[in-house]
Amino acid sequence: PDGVIATDPIGFQRPQAVTTYLAEIRKITRAPIRYLVYSHHHYDHIAGGKPFKDAGAIVVAHRNARARLLALARPDIVIPDETVDNFRALEVGGVRVELHYLGRNHSDNMLLVLLPVEKLVFAVDFVPVEAVGFRDFPDGYFPDWIESLDRLLALDWDRMIGGHPFPGERYGTKDDVRAFKQYLLDLNEAVKAAAAQGKSWDAA
């Protein structure tokens, strides 16, 4: 009743998504939007923040995301007002939302959103559910990615929402995280074996 914490305005090349997002929030509550959390600096997630900012939201992101966005200086991106290093808890209306930095993975500035009472996590882009990573893992960091999955597994949660859910996608579980971690380990060994046979890195 005291306010809304929103994430990722998803307005890149589709500004109508932002107005739809706000309209869906307003179907639930007329409470003010207190915070807008950027999961990471990639445009497909954070473009379109201005309507949230205009509604009074404080924009929060990892400090590395703010630095990247300042350097890129895109006029259509709202620069974060506040930054997170490794951890920050937001509390609105008695609801606690935790922001965790688990290390580098899909980017060097990914924030995991955890609702500890509900045991629900919002894990954007770095843990697909019954899928594989996006093509050649742009902006990916290894072996840091695998280490961040271990940190995710160590947290107390039961259900996971991903960053690019498809219609009908179920909640993710820790077993999905373990499966994706094993995929990365298998892929890593296969690429190293191909490289050892003399294949170029691209072919491997």
Side-chain angles (χ1 to χ4, degrees):
D2 294 341
V4 174
I5 300 173
T7 64
D8 290 7
I10 61 171
F12 181 59
Q13 296 183 339
R14 51 178 185 180
Q16 72 279 8
V18 182
T19 54
T20 300
Y21 189 173
L22 287 165
E24 290 299 315
I25 290 172
R26 290 302 172 225
K27 287 179 183 178
I28 299 168
T29 178
R30 301 302 303 177
I33 298 174
R34 302 289 188 191
Y35 295 98
L36 174 66
V37 178
Y38 289 165
S39 63
H40 62 307
H41 79 284
H42 293 171
Y43 295 140
D44 59 326
H45 290 272
I46 66 166
K50 187 175 185 304
F52 288 88
K53 181 71 176 170
D54 292 345
I58 296 169
V59 181
V60 181
H62 189 267
R63 62 182 168 83
N64 290 347
R66 187 175 195 278
R68 284 183 176 275
L69 295 173
L70 284 171
L72 292 169
R74 291 269 306 235
D76 56 335
I77 301 295
V78 175
I79 300 298
D81 301 302
E82 299 179 4
T83 60
V84 178
D85 285 327
N86 293 320
F87 175 82
R88 179 172 175 187
L90 305 175
E91 293 198 26
V92 176
V95 175
R96 179 181 174 92
V97 175
E98 296 180 356
L99 308 177
H100 293 260
Y101 177 63
L102 305 180
R104 302 187 305 178
N105 41 58
H106 174 72
S107 76
D108 68 351
N109 54 84
M110 183 70 67
L111 289 178
L112 177 85
V113 180
L114 168 65
L115 282 74
V117 173
E118 295 80 2
K119 294 192 175 183
L120 175 69
V121 293
F122 180 47
V124 176
D125 288 4
F126 77 103
V127 193
V129 175
E130 294 185 334
V132 297
F134 180 70
R135 293 205 296 268
D136 57 350
F137 297 99
D139 290 357
Y141 296 87
F142 295 90
D144 312 57
W145 199 318
I146 295 167
E147 294 165 0
S148 77
L149 296 177
D150 287 335
R151 295 185 187 103
L152 174 58
L153 288 167
L155 294 172
D156 186 16
W157 58 273
D158 297 326
R159 296 173 298 155
M160 178 179 68
I161 299 171
H164 288 272
F166 51 85
E169 179 177 323
R170 60 172 173 77
Y171 286 112
T173 67
K174 288 194 174 183
D175 283 342
D176 292 305
V177 179
R178 294 183 187 101
F180 184 62
K181 176 186 172 183
Q182 190 59 53
Y183 163 73
L184 292 183
L185 292 171
D186 293 345
L187 179 65
N188 185 51
E189 291 304 312
V191 171
K192 286 195 294 186
Q197 294 167 9
K199 293 184 180 179
S200 70
W201 283 113
D202 284 346

